[in-house]
């Protein structure tokens, strides 16, 4: 078996999309594609409960439910951060209110994190999450707003292909 490294250096490969429903992913106007990502980390951390017993010299372990999370840093784009504001009601809430709006309203969003672009056959992870961890920062050494974004996943990641 040959190794198939996923190379994102083309600049259009690592893609994160948010929508209000799974069906919205079929309507481009209802999808917020997060622009200007600097990095993205997908974390699937299975919990472990460890315990000791008097009849063993080693600890035992059992797994507990996983904590799933996506974290990224973005150069703040006004439309994606604050939303389109007066967008038609036919567009999803995530497009209308942006990252800040769905975070402030504690609204669950559907997400797809593409590993190798959005072309046919490309793999992605999807799920439902809450947007949190927004913390825009600017300073004279970095004169554009940069913000971390965290997607706190509610449930499991599922794998799919375009």
């Amino acid at each position: 078996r040959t190794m198939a490294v996923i190379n994102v250096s083309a600049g259009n490969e690592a893609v994160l999309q948010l929508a209000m429903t799974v069906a919205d992913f079929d309507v481009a106007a209802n999808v917020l594609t997060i622009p200007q990502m600097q990095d993205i980390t997908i974390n699937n951390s299975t919990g472990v409960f460890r315990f000791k017993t008097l009849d063993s010299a080693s600890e035992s372990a059992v797994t507990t439910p996983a904590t799933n999370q996506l974290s990224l840093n973005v150069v703040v784009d006004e439309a994606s951060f604050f939303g389109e504001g007066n967008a038609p009601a036919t567009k999803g809430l995530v497009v209308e209110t942006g990252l800040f709006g769905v975070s402030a309203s504690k609204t669950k969003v559907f997400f797809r994190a593409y590993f190798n672009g959005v072309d046919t056959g490309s793999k992605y992870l999807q799920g439902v999450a809450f947007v949190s961890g927004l913390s825009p920062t600017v300073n004279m050494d970095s004169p554009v707003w940069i913000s971390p974004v965290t997607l706190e996943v509610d449930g499991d990641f599922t794998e799919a292909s375009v």
Side-chain angles (χ1 to χ4, degrees):
R1 181 175 174 161
T2 59
M3 189 166 77
V5 174
I6 301 173
N7 183 342
V8 299
S9 62
N12 60 352
E13 302 297 319
V15 177
L16 178 62
Q17 294 180 334
L18 306 179
M20 293 311 298
T21 68
V22 171
D24 280 344
F25 286 111
D26 295 331
V27 181
N30 294 348
V31 176
L32 175 60
T33 300
I34 305 300
Q36 304 183 98
M37 285 193 305
Q38 293 182 309
D39 57 56
I40 183 168
T41 301
I42 300 171
N43 185 10
N44 171 252
S45 180
T46 300
V48 176
F49 174 75
R50 296 191 166 277
F51 60 95
K52 300 173 186 171
T53 59
L54 297 174
D55 62 347
S56 177
S58 299
E59 286 186 346
S60 296
V62 294
T63 59
T64 61
T67 299
N68 297 316
Q69 186 180 69
L70 284 85
S71 56
L72 52 141
N73 287 293
V74 298
V75 176
V76 174
D77 170 81
E78 188 172 348
S80 65
F81 195 80
F82 293 108
E84 294 182 6
N86 58 359
T90 57
K91 291 187 179 180
L93 183 68
V94 69
V95 175
E96 293 178 20
T97 65
L99 292 170
F100 181 75
V102 293
S103 177
S105 65
K106 300 172 180 67
T107 303
K108 281 186 192 178
V109 296
F110 288 81
F111 69 86
R112 289 184 177 170
Y114 296 85
F115 282 70
N116 200 20
V118 295
D119 296 328
T120 301
S122 297
K123 298 264 189 194
Y124 61 89
L125 292 178
Q126 64 184 349
V128 180
F130 293 97
V131 175
S132 86
L134 300 177
S135 183
T137 303
V138 70
N139 62 58
M140 290 309 293
D141 293 327
S142 176
V144 295
W145 287 93
I146 306 289
S147 183
V149 179
T150 303
L151 296 182
E152 299 289 353
V153 179
D154 181 21
D156 295 326
F157 288 116
T158 56
E159 176 189 331
S161 296
V162 177

